[in-house]
């Protein structure tokens, strides 16, 4: 034990190889070099709190086969560098709280598969890089710091078997595509008390075998896609206490394979898009949650409905949004136009000429008015075909306009 505050480097040469508990606190050494404790094969507990540590080199703790607990707290450490904590095969607990950690780099804990508790709380972490927790397995609890602003794609890739993964007090612009890809066998994944920004398409793709996915008490600007399929193997989804600023687009929410769905205490827009919400899997009774969607959730907008239970709003008095009605009409019109086009293109005959048609000659001169009918038939067929094509083109163009450039009206 040396808590004198005078050490400028780790005095490995003066440590007995039989030491089991080592505390080096309140010293001024800034760097933990690679293999800094090599040879201390009996060491079980190591505390490096309140030192001036700013850098941890790759494989800094290699060669400690019996180490079980490692604590580095209250230091100016700003980055958990790649492979800094690699190769800790028997460590069960790492505490990295109350530091200045801004970034967790890829493969920072590679090869440390025995970690049960990893605590990164109370750090000003901004970025979690791709593969930051790769090859961790059987982690009972992973606690990340508040204030995270960017979680990279595949940040949790190859993180297998987690009891509780809590992501709270984040300040994200979006939950990006494939954020949770490669994260498997999780008892509880909780996104809570955060500004999630936009939940992007494919955000939960590649997340597999989760007992409970909880999205609690967040601000959500929009949901581009919430796609939970049988491939995810998610048993329970809980949406509670969230404030959603925009209603998801029709078809943007898919919920498959859930045994439980709880949508309670959320605030949704109650404007003309409310019909889209009520037709989505969040509220249409696809799952026997035993809860009444309208009585358990609230309105966030328009202003006159703010804070109301949705059940108090006269849903039937709220008309569908103009662009939604227009889109539905255009879709119906487009379908009708396509049917009309193919009908003309395939050559529907005049009833009185069915016999001639069946003989394979619609311009049979022996039929009454055969010559004039033949000319009229082909001329009208060309005109109607052109008109149908123009009508179809116009309808599809308007449909594309409203789909990609329409104003959001909640």
């Amino acid at each position: 034990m040396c808590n004198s505050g005078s050490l400028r480097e780790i005095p490995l040469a003066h440590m007995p190889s039989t030491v089991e508990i080592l505390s080096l606190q309140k010293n001024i050494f800034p760097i933990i070099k690679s293999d800094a404790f090599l040879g201390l094969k009996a060491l079980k507990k190591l505390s490096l709190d309140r030192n001036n540590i700013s850098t941890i080199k790759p494989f800094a703790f290699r060669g400690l086969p019996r180490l079980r607990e490692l604590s580095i707290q209250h230091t100016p450490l700003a980055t958990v560098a790649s492979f800094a904590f690699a190769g800790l095969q028997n460590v069960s607990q790492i505490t990295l709280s109350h530091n200045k950690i801004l970034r967790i780099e890829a493969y920072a804990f590679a090869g440390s598969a025995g970690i049960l508790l990893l605590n990164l709380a109370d750090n000003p972490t901004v970025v979690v890089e791709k593969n930051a927790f790769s090859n961790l397995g059987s982690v009972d609890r992973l606690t990340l710091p508040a204030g995270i602003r960017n979680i990279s794609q595949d940040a949790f890739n190859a993180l297998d078997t987690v009891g509780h993964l809590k992501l709270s007090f984040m300040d994200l612009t979006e939950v990006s595509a494939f954020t949770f890809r490669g994260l498997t066998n999780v008892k509880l994944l909780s996104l809570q008390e955060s500004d999630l920004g936009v939940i992007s398409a494919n955000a939960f793709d590649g997340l597999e075998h989760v007992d409970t996915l909880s999205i609690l008490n967040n601000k959500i600007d929009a949901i581009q896609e919430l796609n939970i399929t049988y491939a995810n193997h998610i048993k329970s989804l809980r949406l509670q206490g969230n404030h959603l600023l925009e209603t998801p687009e029709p078809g943007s929410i898919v919920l498959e394979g859930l045994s439980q769905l709880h949508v309670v205490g959320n605030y949704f827009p109650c404007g003309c898009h409310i019909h889209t919400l009520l037709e989505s899997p969040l509220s249409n009774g696809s799952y026997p949650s035993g809860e009444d969607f309208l009585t358990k959730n609230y309105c966030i907008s328009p202003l006159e409905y703010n804070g109301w239970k949705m059940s108090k709003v006269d849903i039937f008095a709220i008309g569908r949004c103009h662009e939604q009605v227009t889109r539905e009409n255009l879709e119906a019109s487009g379908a009708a136009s396509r049917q009309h086009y193919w009908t003309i293109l395939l050559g529907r005959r005049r009833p009185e000429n069915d016999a001639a048609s069946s003989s394979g000659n619609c311009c049979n001169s022996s039929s009454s008015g055969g010559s004039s009918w033949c000319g009229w038939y082909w001329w009208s067929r060309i005109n109607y075909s052109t008109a149908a094509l123009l009508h179809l083109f116009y309808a599809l163009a308007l449909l594309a306009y409203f789909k990609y450039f329409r104003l959001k009206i909640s």
Side-chain angles (χ1 to χ4, degrees), residues 27 191 207 295 297 375 393:
N27 293 285
L191 283 65
L207 172 66
T295 61
N297 292 282
F393 176 79

Side-chain angles (χ1 to χ4, degrees), residues 300-306:
I300 193 172
S301 64
L303 185 60
E304 59 266 28
Y305 294 151
N306 181 259

Side-chain angles (χ1 to χ4, degrees), residues 361-381:
N361 184 9
C362 67
C363 294
N364 192 333
S365 59
S366 62
S367 61
S368 175
S371 178
S372 61
W373 155 243
C374 181
W376 175 87
Y377 170 73
W378 287 107
W379 178 251
S380 64
R381 183 169 175 176

